[in-house]
């Protein structure tokens, strides 16, 4: 039986002109996770990432802490949805950069509404796949893991694909996957076991590498 570790990218640059870059804290989170994996004696039979910079940079940080690097398989189906395009389907006006907790909450309320419309097939965000195709991309990555590996495998992705993967295993509704998605933390670890026939959920959204007082202020969601 193999094990699959799905890691959400480290803290990115929420509110900046380019979100798709790790912040300095995001890099530290990922290096720390790699160091944790190393102390647990983990070595990976395979590594998959999406093609987004924050995902690629997160794996590089993990590899640094792990003191072992391999060339990951780039899997576009592990890319995150475009939150700006999703929000634009329900709020066409340009949003100001969030500068207060209420503005952040407003952003995520719009995101939730936009995701619901996209998942129900009532909208098609510009430049994005249909929701069914998004799900198929995640399912394809999971199928690849169980048919090509039998050891420990690492996937570095984003909240949407990881929540979708958990939803697929649990038979959850798309609406439930939204709630899973909006609660996932940066650099968190979700663990599956797998056989050639199926995956099974072990843990979701854990932060074992930050489980001490000295890392309390390293825990982030964006």
């Amino acid at each position: 039986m193999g094990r699959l570790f799905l890691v959400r990218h480290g803290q990115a640059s929420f509110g900046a002109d380019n979100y798709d870059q790790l912040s300095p804290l995001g890099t530290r989170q990922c290096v720390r996770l790699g160091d944790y994996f190393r102390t647990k004696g983990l070595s990976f039979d395979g590594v998959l990432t999406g093609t987004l910079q924050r995902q690629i940079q997160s794996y590089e940080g993990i590899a640094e802490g792990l003191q072992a690097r391999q060339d990951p398989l780039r899997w576009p189906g592990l890319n995150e949805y475009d939150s700006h395009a999703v929000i634009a389907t329900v709020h066409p006006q340009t949003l100001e950069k969030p500068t207060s907790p209420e503005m952040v909450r407003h952003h995520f309320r719009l995101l939730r509404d936009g995701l619901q419309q996209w998942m129900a097939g009532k909208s098609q965000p510009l430049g994005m796949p249909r929701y069914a195709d998004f799900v198929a991309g995640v399912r394809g990555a999971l199928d690849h893991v169980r048919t090509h590996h039998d050891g420990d495998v690492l996937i570095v992705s984003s909240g949407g694909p990881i929540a979708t993967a958990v939803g697929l295993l649990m038979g959850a509704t798309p609406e439930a996957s939204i709630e899973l998605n909006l609660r996932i933390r940066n650099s968190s670890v979700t663990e599956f076991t797998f056989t050639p026939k199926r995956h099974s959920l072990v843990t979701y959204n854990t932060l074992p590498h930050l489980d001490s007082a000295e890392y309390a202020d390293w825990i982030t969601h964006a």
Side-chain angles (χ1 to χ4, degrees):
M1 183 177 293
R3 294 186 297 177
L4 172 60
F5 298 84
L6 301 99
V7 173
R8 187 194 178 200
H9 60 78
Q11 184 190 57
S13 301
F14 182 73
D17 291 334
N18 181 15
Y19 173 74
D20 193 24
Q21 296 286 333
L22 289 191
S23 69
L25 175 57
T27 298
R28 294 197 299 274
Q29 290 167 336
C30 294
V31 173
R32 171 64 190 138
L33 177 58
D35 182 63
Y36 170 81
F37 284 155
R38 181 175 54 80
T39 63
K40 293 296 182 180
L42 276 173
S43 60
F44 294 107
D45 178 49
V47 177
L48 290 78
T49 75
T51 64
L52 300 177
Q53 284 302 302
R54 59 189 182 273
Q55 299 168 342
I56 294 169
Q57 292 167 357
S58 293
Y59 173 62
E60 293 300 331
I62 293 168
E64 178 182 337
L66 190 60
Q67 298 180 12
R69 187 191 181 283
Q70 55 184 282
D71 290 330
L73 175 62
R74 305 277 189 239
W75 195 278
L78 293 171
N79 288 351
E80 185 63 287
Y81 53 77
D82 183 341
S83 62
H84 293 292
V86 170
I87 289 173
T89 64
V90 294
H91 189 280
Q93 300 81 12
T94 302
L95 286 175
E96 297 180 24
K97 291 182 180 180
T99 57
S100 69
E102 177 51 37
M103 292 178 73
V104 172
R105 286 192 291 270
H106 178 60
H107 171 94
F108 284 103
R109 283 194 295 268
L110 292 173
L111 179 59
R112 180 182 280 104
D113 291 346
L115 287 171
Q116 290 172 341
Q117 296 293 316
W118 174 50
M119 290 174 171
K122 296 179 180 179
S123 70
Q124 182 51 55
L126 185 65
M128 279 177 44
R130 295 181 308 119
Y131 177 62
D133 295 329
F134 179 84
V135 173
V138 175
R139 183 183 287 110
L142 295 180
D143 289 348
H144 175 86
V145 168
R146 65 179 177 78
T147 57
H148 288 76
H149 298 281
D150 58 8
D152 291 337
V153 179
L154 175 66
I155 281 179
V156 183
S157 182
S158 297
I162 294 172
T164 298
V166 172
L168 287 170
L169 266 60
M170 304 302 292
T173 64
E175 291 77 14
S177 74
I178 295 174
E179 300 310 313
L180 289 169
N181 177 12
L182 296 183
R183 285 161 176 74
I184 193 167
R185 297 171 292 185
N186 294 119
S187 76
S188 65
V189 180
T190 294
E191 183 181 344
F192 295 172
T193 57
F194 65 90
T195 68
K197 293 185 176 181
R198 61 175 295 184
H199 292 268
S200 300
L201 178 65
V202 178
T203 65
Y204 176 68
N205 195 26
T206 65
L207 294 171
H209 55 303
L210 303 182
D211 190 21
S212 66
E214 65 183 300
Y215 299 116
D217 59 353
W218 286 32
I219 298 173
T220 60
H221 291 78

